[in-house]
Amino acid sequence: RAKENGKNNFQFFTADMNELMAKKMRLEIGLRKAVINNELELYYQPQIQVNTGHIMGVEALIRWNHPKMGIVSPAEFIPLAEETGLIIQIGTWVIETACRQAKEWEIQGYAPVRMSINISARQFQQTSFVDTVMEIIENTKIDPQYLELELTETIVQDPVYAIPVLNQLKEMGIKLSLDDFGTGYSSLSYLKSFPLDTLKIDRSFISTVNESGKDAAIVKTIINMANSLDLNVIAEGVETNEQLLSLKQDGCDEYQGYLFSKPVKAIAVQELLQKCMEEKSLGPIVEV
Ligand code: C2E
Ligand code: MG
Ligand code: MG
Ligand code: MG
């Protein structure tokens, strides 16, 4: 009887696995079509200067409007896109679309803001990556000082490969940001040897900054270190005024999170930029 149960459990397990694999295959087939059928869209989340409430930049975040499943999260399809190599095509589309949008805002007369773009490991490792970025800059005529690439610690794990590539990007005038800082195999030597401009403190530390003394200490330490190294430091995932207040006390430069705005469509960013120019809506200002 036990044996029978075991067998049943095993069958149940494989049925689950089959379902998972079938889902993955449907996603992969869908993702190939998504690129052709214009189902991909960029949302933008403002990055706010803590002391003034001004919008300093926006982070481009991809969304997939699946005809049947609705909006699919990048957390679900970016890993699949990496696995299948589709990320090359998708990633290039992201850079091109974001740069064209930034140029569009410039033409419309908004004060310039940084455009931050997430780059995946496989994209970065393409030998043609630097050329692709250069070509997009030339075609869209975006000012490279307002272009920032967000890289994760996994990307830069191979410093022998990464450092020359990063230096080439820097020579083009592009800004470089280390995303999700503190979650990867962080090595402080990265900070010394990589030509970085910005550190982004991972949301996992920010979400409990007011509850956990340890997280508060980590956040404070990252901010101090970034300030000493002359790096711009951005806190991700700020949802409450209390979190913003402690970031301000710690001397954090910028924040992004639902407290100011969720990632929104380009048209909604324009409204925020407009208000920012009229100095009407500055983000939640906290007094220390
Ligand atoms: P990430 O680059 O660390 O982006 C930050 C994520 O935190 C975004 O999730 C954003 O919507 C979310 N977030 C921002 N503020 C808050 C907040 O206050 N509370 C909470 N709970 N979440 C907040 P999203 O858009 O789902 O993206 C997830 C990840 O997918 C990104 O993490 C990034 O690694 C990846 N990704 C997104 N777009 C792209 C892309 O165009 N290319 C590549 N390669 N990866 C992308
Ligand atoms: Mg990011
Ligand atoms: Mg991040
Ligand atoms: Mg993160």
Side-chain angles (χ1 to χ4, degrees):
R1 196 160 169 66
K3 204 173 179 182
E4 224 177 274
N5 278 342
K7 197 176 165 200
N8 281 340
N9 284 342
F10 183 69
Q11 281 173 344
F12 185 67
F13 178 71
T14 50
D16 254 18
M17 288 299 282
N18 283 336
E19 177 50 39
L20 252 164
M21 276 172 62
K23 192 187 174 194
K24 202 172 148 185
M25 269 181 64
R26 280 198 304 275
L27 268 182
E28 182 182 338
I29 293 165
L31 198 52
R32 287 184 193 280
K33 288 196 221 147
V35 184
I36 305 158
N37 295 349
N38 286 319
E39 291 165 14
L40 301 178
E41 189 176 7
L42 288 186
Y43 277 48
Y44 302 90
Q45 187 178 39
Q47 300 175 323
I48 311 302
Q49 190 163 48
V50 171
N51 285 330
T52 61
H54 281 131
I55 300 174
M56 304 305 284
V58 296
E59 177 178 6
L61 293 157
I62 196 168
R63 298 289 178 265
W64 176 15
N65 296 304
H66 190 281
K68 287 196 193 109
M69 290 189 278
I71 293 210
V72 187
S73 149
E76 201 164 342
F77 72 85
I78 290 291
L80 184 66
E82 283 238 355
E83 214 179 292
T84 54
L86 277 166
I87 192 68
I88 305 304
Q89 206 183 339
I90 294 174
T92 303
W93 177 86
V94 169
I95 304 171
E96 220 172 288
T97 306
C99 288
R100 206 170 287 137
Q101 184 61 68
K103 190 68 194 175
E104 186 59 33
W105 285 331
E106 188 196 314
I107 291 168
Q108 290 171 8
Y110 297 105
V113 291
R114 224 178 26 230
M115 177 60 80
S116 294
I117 301 174
N118 292 289
I119 303 297
S120 82
R122 191 148 172 191
Q123 217 181 338
F124 183 79
Q125 283 150 7
Q126 284 274 304
T127 46
S128 55
F129 179 66
V130 172
D131 285 342
T132 301
V133 175
M134 189 160 348
E135 202 176 307
I136 293 171
I137 291 174
E138 280 166 9
N139 290 343
T140 59
K141 305 199 166 51
I142 184 187
D143 183 346
Q145 67 166 316
Y146 291 111
L147 176 59
E148 184 163 74
L149 304 182
E150 292 195 3
L151 312 162
T152 56
E153 286 158 300
T154 13
I155 293 190
V156 287
Q157 244 171 40
D158 178 2
V160 177
Y161 180 79
I163 292 175
V165 178
L166 297 176
N167 283 331
Q168 275 178 281
L169 294 165
K170 282 306 295 175
E171 276 162 30
M172 289 158 58
I174 297 170
K175 299 244 152 59
L176 300 173
S177 172
L178 194 54
D179 204 354
D180 303 334
F181 185 71
T183 58
Y185 295 96
S186 320
S187 159
L188 293 183
S189 69
Y190 287 166
L191 298 179
K192 198 180 68 179
S193 43
F194 292 157
L196 297 170
D197 299 278
T198 302
L199 264 195
K200 293 188 74 175
I201 309 173
D202 192 68
R203 177 157 62 88
S204 58
F205 302 112
I206 307 301
S207 60
T208 45
V209 74
N210 300 115
E211 287 109 60
S212 151
K214 284 186 183 166
D215 280 349
I218 289 171
V219 168
K220 189 177 180 153
T221 304
I222 296 176
I223 293 169
N224 284 339
M225 185 178 63
N227 286 338
S228 317
L229 294 170
D230 251 329
L231 294 169
N232 187 31
V233 57
I234 306 186
E236 304 185 315
V238 175
E239 295 185 353
T240 68
N241 263 307
E242 290 71 36
Q243 290 164 356
L244 179 57
L245 177 63
S246 64
L247 290 166
K248 184 168 183 164
Q249 284 166 337
D250 291 343
C252 189
D253 299 308
E254 296 177 32
Y255 75 96
Q256 72 184 95
Y258 296 171
L259 177 64
F260 185 87
S261 170
K262 288 196 169 186
V264 291
K265 294 186 189 222
I267 185 86
V269 174
Q270 284 165 217
E271 282 170 34
L272 292 169
L273 291 174
Q274 184 67 39
K275 282 184 193 160
C276 195
M277 281 200 301
E278 293 162 6
E279 306 234 11
K280 264 194 225 153
S281 146
L282 305 178
I285 298 273
V286 286
E287 298 302 329
V288 177

